[in-house]
Every structure is written in structure tokens, then in C-alpha cells.
Amino acid sequence: MDHTDEDTTITALLDAAVSHVSDYCNRHFTALDTAIFYLERWRPAALAFGPVTGITSVVYDDTTGTQQTLDASKYFWSQFREGSWRIYFHDVPDLEDYNAQPVRINVQVGRPASSNVKHAVRMLVAHWYENRRAVVTGATPVEVPMAVQAILNSERIIDLNQ
């Protein structure tokens, strides 16, 4: 681009592409970010979106509905599969009865984007920029997202135990 007329559009496309790639891969591609996993009860849980680099806290709503922080000695976490961690609990207090998600696990996630991820984002932005309409007329459509998926499959975290 030799001009700045389309900067707003390209920035919006870039944000959408980064979000799409992050969602597809089940990863945050940043140096450091935060995420929250919600549980309906104390149980071993997969922390598959990430990669998780640390647990900052586990908070829960006790039987009175008051938010409490679980002592770190009451849980541990270990790697389950590549990019996927599991958290386990023991000797935990009772939870609020009428709360769909009384347990919240606050974690740090992220890793720098690889060259494959950056290339996939660029491909999506270029494709979306060139094809801004939902329907292409007068041309044979080419599915670029399939090529993007092929590039990203090696970066993807899939946890079938969720």
C-alpha cells in the first residue's frame, strides 16, 4: 500500500485475522496474557487454551456465595499433552449450591507467534482485503482459509478430554 487511506480497514482485518488464528489454534500468540477457566465443581480440568505458563490464582464462591481464594497447597497442575495442562484438586471446601460456575482458574497464557502463524495471518488479511464481499461474482472462488488451516495445524492444540 502506497497510501494510508485503507489503514483503518487493514487494522480491522488484522485484528480479525489474529483473533481467528488464536481461536483456531486454541492459543494466545502474545508474550503474556491472562485467561480464566470456569468450572462447575471441583474436578480435574484440562487447561487447553494457551499455552498456559502459570496459574495466578484459583478463586471460588463458598457456601455463602462469598468469593474466596483457594490455597495453592490444595491444587497442583501438570502437563497432560503438548500444550495442554491439567489441574487437580484435593481437600477442597464446599461450593455455593446455586452457582453454575463457582470455580475460576486465573492463568497466564501465551507464547510468541511463529513464522507460520505470522504468515497465516498475512494470508488471511490479504484474502479478506481482496474479497470484501460475501459473494464473489465473475470469478472462480479460491478457498484461501483451507491453506491457512494447513499452515496452522501444527500450531493447534486439540484436547478431546474437555
Side-chain angles (χ1 to χ4, degrees):
M1 300 297 298
D2 294 333
H3 53 81
T4 59
D5 297 347
E6 299 282 344
D7 283 359
T8 303
T9 300
I10 293 171
T11 300
L13 292 173
L14 180 60
D15 291 344
V18 168
S19 179
H20 175 79
V21 167
S22 180
D23 288 346
Y24 180 78
C25 291
N26 238 0
R27 294 180 184 256
H28 278 276
F29 292 105
T30 59
L32 185 63
D33 204 351
T34 60
I36 302 174
F37 292 89
Y38 297 92
L39 299 177
E40 70 280 356
R41 59 186 162 80
W42 298 116
R43 64 173 176 80
L47 307 175
F49 190 84
V52 173
T53 58
I55 296 177
T56 55
S57 67
V58 175
V59 296
Y60 64 97
D61 297 330
D62 66 14
T63 55
T64 66
T66 305
Q67 182 174 298
Q68 304 286 340
T69 300
L70 187 66
D71 187 83
S73 66
K74 304 278 186 187
Y75 63 87
F76 69 95
W77 61 301
S78 63
Q79 189 162 14
F80 180 64
R81 288 194 180 115
E82 167 60 32
S84 178
W85 292 80
R86 281 214 182 265
I87 186 169
Y88 301 90
F89 303 97
H90 59 89
D91 301 325
V92 291
D94 291 335
L95 298 171
E96 183 180 19
D97 287 331
Y98 301 104
N99 187 336
Q101 297 174 325
V103 180
R104 293 161 306 280
I105 305 164
N106 300 296
V107 298
Q108 292 178 324
V109 295
R111 79 171 215 200
S114 68
S115 58
N116 284 350
V117 170
K118 292 175 185 177
H119 184 66
V121 168
R122 287 186 203 108
M123 285 177 67
L124 278 175
V125 170
H127 176 71
W128 291 341
Y129 183 81
E130 293 295 323
N131 301 286
R132 297 185 205 189
R133 295 194 175 104
V135 178
V136 177
T137 56
T140 304
V142 178
E143 189 174 349
V144 172
M146 188 172 103
V148 168
Q149 289 173 355
I151 290 170
L152 294 175
N153 281 339
S154 65
E155 301 283 345
R156 194 170 188 198
I157 296 174
I158 300 173
D159 192 337
L160 302 176
N161 293 310
Q162 290 248 41

